[in-house]
Amino acid sequence: MSDFRPFEITDRPLDPAPLVAYVQTPGDGAVVTFAGVARNHFGGRPTAFLSYEAYAEMAGPVLAQIAEEARARWPIGRVAVHHRVGRLAIGETAVLVVVAAPHRHEAFAAAAYVMDRIKEIAPIWKQEHWADGEAEWRE
Amino acid sequence: MSDFRPFEITDRPLDPAPLVAYVQTPGDGAVVTFAGVARNHFGGRPTAFLSYEAYAEMAGPVLAQIAEEARARWPIGRVAVHHRVGRLAIGETAVLVVVAAPHRHEAFAAAAYVMDRIKEIAPIWKQEHWADGEAEWRE
Amino acid sequence: MISVRVRYFAGHRDIVGQAEQQMALEPGATVGDLWGLLVERHPRLAGYSGRLLFAVNQEFASPATTLHDGDEVAFIPPVSGGV
Amino acid sequence: MISVRVRYFAGHRDIVGQAEQQMALEPGATVGDLWGLLVERHPRLAGYSGRLLFAVNQEFASPATTLHDGDEVAFIPPVSGGV
C-alpha cells in the first residue's frame, strides 16, 4: 500500500480491497462501494468494448475536490475514488467510489453524490465501441 | 465457489469478492456493495466488541425474501447478502449487501432498501459488549 | 394435546434461561395463546408484548395463527442485524 | 504576444487532429477569445459552444478568465466518466 493514492486515474485493473482498507477507520459503521462496470449494451445497441480517456493531471484533483464537497454535506469519513482509462472489456470496472461513515444513510448518499458529480465535472471521457464496429464519444 | 450461496449466515469472516463476482452479469453497469462494520462506539459509549446471533434456518430465507422485495421494486439484477454471527472485533464486517443493476440509481436504492429491511425483519440480534464490561442486546 | 417446539433468542433466551423447549398445548391453540402462557410463566417477557415478531415453521406468522402438532414456533424479539 | 499551451480531448481532439498545441495570443486575451479563435479555425467545434467546461492550469475557469504567458488551457467537452 506504500504507493496507494485515494484519488487516482490508472490504466491498470481496479481492485476495491485497498480502497476499502484505506477508508475504514474504527469509528465507521458503514462502507459503501460503488463499482461502475462496462456493460454489453447501451440503449439496446450491443457494445463490444469501451475506452476511457482522462485529462489525468486535472482529473485526480477534481476527484479529491468532489470528495471534499461530499464531506462538507454529510458527516462521513474517508473517501477514495479510482478511475480507469484505456480499453475496457465488458464486465471490467471503470470506476470505484468508496465511502466510509459512522452511519449507513450518509455513506449511501455521499457515494451516490460523488458518482453524480463525477459524471458532471470530472474530465474523463468514454468512447463506446459498438459491436458493429462503429465508435463514438459519449457526450 | 462451488459452495457459494447468495444468502448466508456464517461465523466466518466476510469477503465481498465472491458476492460481487456472483451478482455481476454482462448487462450490469453498476454494482453497489454495502459493508456494515463493527464500530468502536455507540452513542458516545466505547464498545469493546460485538456479538451476533441469528435464527439461522429462518434468517437465510428471510434475506432471500428481502432481495425479492427489492427486485419487485426496482429493475435490478442479482442480489447477495451474507451476515456474520459470533464475536466480531471492531472493524470486522457484520453484513455485506451486494446489488447489481443496469443503472446506478437503482443499485443504490435497492442496496439501501435491503439493508433497511434487514434491520426491520431479519431474525438476527446484536449484542453490544461495552468497554466497561457490560453487555446488552440492541432492541 | 399437541406438542410444539419453542425457540428463544437473544433477550428472550436470557429471560427464559434456555434456547428451546418442547411444550404441550390444547388443540386449536394459537401463537398468541402460547405467548400469553409464556408471559405468565416469565413475567419479564411482558415488556416484549407488542414489539415482537412471530414465526411458525420458520415463516412469519401472526398471533392469530393456529398451531399444529410438531410445529416449530419462534418468538422474535426486536431484531438488530447489520450495524 | 503571450504563448499558451492548449489541450484537446475526446471529440475535440478528433476534430482538431492533435492532442495539444502551443498558440500565440494578444496580451489580455481571455479563455472565451481563444475558444472563438478555435471555432473559426475548426467550424465543427461550434457544436460544443455552450456545453463545454474550461480549465486554466488544471483548475476550472470561465470564458472571462484572462490568460497569461505559459498558461495551460483545456477545453473540456461534455464529460462521461463512470459508466
Side-chain angles (χ1 to χ4, degrees):
Chain A
M1 299 252 303
S2 62
D3 65 345
F4 178 79
R5 290 185 299 179
F7 304 99
E8 187 159 46
I9 307 296
T10 176
D11 58 4
R12 297 187 303 273
L14 301 183
D15 174 12
L19 284 75
V20 171
Y22 164 78
V23 299
Q24 198 186 319
T25 65
D28 295 315
V31 178
V32 170
T33 300
F34 172 80
V37 297
R39 68 172 189 278
N40 64 2
H41 68 93
F42 186 91
R45 188 173 176 187
T47 300
F49 66 94
L50 302 178
S51 59
Y52 287 87
E53 157 181 347
Y55 182 12
E57 309 95 301
M58 181 173 173
V62 167
L63 297 177
Q65 170 200 321
I66 290 171
E68 283 309 305
E69 292 175 11
R71 288 167 55 89
R73 284 175 187 236
W74 291 281
I76 58 172
R78 290 183 178 177
V79 177
V81 182
H82 285 191
H83 202 297
R84 190 162 165 201
V85 290
R87 177 174 171 153
L88 271 75
I90 303 304
E92 287 197 287
T93 298
V95 61
L96 287 170
V97 174
V98 188
V99 176
H103 302 286
R104 72 186 186 283
H105 293 117
E106 290 79 4
F108 276 119
Y113 173 85
V114 166
M115 200 53 231
D116 286 347
R117 290 291 282 160
I118 287 171
K119 296 186 83 73
E120 284 172 8
I121 66 164
I124 303 170
W125 300 272
K126 172 168 66 169
Q127 196 170 28
E128 195 105 19
H129 296 264
W130 303 108
D132 60 20
E134 283 185 45
E136 63 182 294
W137 293 103
R138 292 254 141 249
E139 292 182 340
Chain B
M1 298 252 304
S2 60
D3 64 346
F4 178 79
R5 289 186 298 181
F7 304 99
E8 186 158 47
I9 307 295
T10 176
D11 59 4
R12 295 188 304 275
L14 302 183
D15 174 10
L19 285 75
V20 171
Y22 164 77
V23 300
Q24 198 186 319
T25 65
D28 295 315
V31 179
V32 169
T33 301
F34 173 79
V37 296
R39 68 173 188 279
N40 63 3
H41 69 92
F42 186 91
R45 187 172 176 188
T47 301
F49 65 95
L50 301 179
S51 60
Y52 287 87
E53 156 180 349
Y55 183 12
E57 309 95 300
M58 180 173 175
V62 168
L63 297 177
Q65 171 199 321
I66 291 171
E68 283 310 306
E69 293 175 10
R71 289 166 54 89
R73 285 174 186 236
W74 291 279
I76 59 173
R78 290 183 177 178
V79 176
V81 182
H82 284 191
H83 202 298
R84 190 163 165 200
V85 290
R87 177 175 171 152
L88 271 74
I90 303 303
E92 287 197 286
T93 298
V95 60
L96 287 170
V97 174
V98 188
V99 176
H103 301 287
R104 72 186 187 282
H105 293 118
E106 290 79 4
F108 275 120
Y113 173 86
V114 167
M115 200 53 233
D116 287 347
R117 290 290 282 160
I118 288 172
K119 296 186 84 71
E120 284 172 8
I121 66 164
I124 303 170
W125 300 272
K126 172 168 67 169
Q127 197 171 28
E128 194 105 21
H129 296 264
W130 304 109
D132 60 20
E134 285 185 43
E136 63 184 294
W137 293 102
R138 292 253 140 250
E139 293 179 339
Chain C
M1 299 293 279
I2 62 168
S3 177
V4 299
R5 180 187 182 199
V6 188
R7 304 277 305 259
Y8 304 105
F9 299 97
H12 287 181
R13 192 190 51 240
D14 292 349
I15 290 170
V16 174
Q18 53 192 340
E20 60 176 273
Q21 69 181 142
Q22 210 63 38
M23 286 186 70
L25 299 172
E26 296 289 338
T30 64
V31 169
D33 295 336
L34 175 54
W35 177 249
L37 204 71
L38 292 171
V39 170
E40 277 179 32
R41 286 197 198 170
H42 307 282
R44 287 171 59 210
L45 287 179
Y48 289 97
S49 292
R51 56 189 203 96
L52 77 167
L53 298 173
F54 308 92
V56 175
N57 299 330
Q58 296 149 28
E59 300 209 344
F60 289 112
S62 85
T65 304
T66 301
L67 293 169
H68 299 92
D69 192 54
D71 280 350
E72 174 175 303
V73 186
F75 295 101
I76 299 177
V79 301
S80 50
V83 284
Chain D
M1 299 294 277
I2 62 168
S3 176
V4 300
R5 180 186 181 199
V6 188
R7 306 276 305 259
Y8 305 105
F9 299 97
H12 287 181
R13 192 190 50 239
D14 291 350
I15 291 171
V16 174
Q18 53 192 338
E20 60 175 272
Q21 69 181 143
Q22 210 62 37
M23 285 187 69
L25 299 171
E26 297 288 339
T30 65
V31 169
D33 295 336
L34 175 53
W35 178 249
L37 204 70
L38 292 170
V39 170
E40 277 180 33
R41 286 197 198 168
H42 307 283
R44 288 170 58 210
L45 288 178
Y48 289 98
S49 292
R51 57 189 202 96
L52 77 168
L53 297 172
F54 308 92
V56 174
N57 300 328
Q58 296 150 29
E59 301 209 342
F60 288 112
S62 85
T65 304
T66 301
L67 293 169
H68 299 93
D69 192 55
D71 280 350
E72 174 175 302
V73 186
F75 294 101
I76 299 178
V79 302
S80 50
V83 284

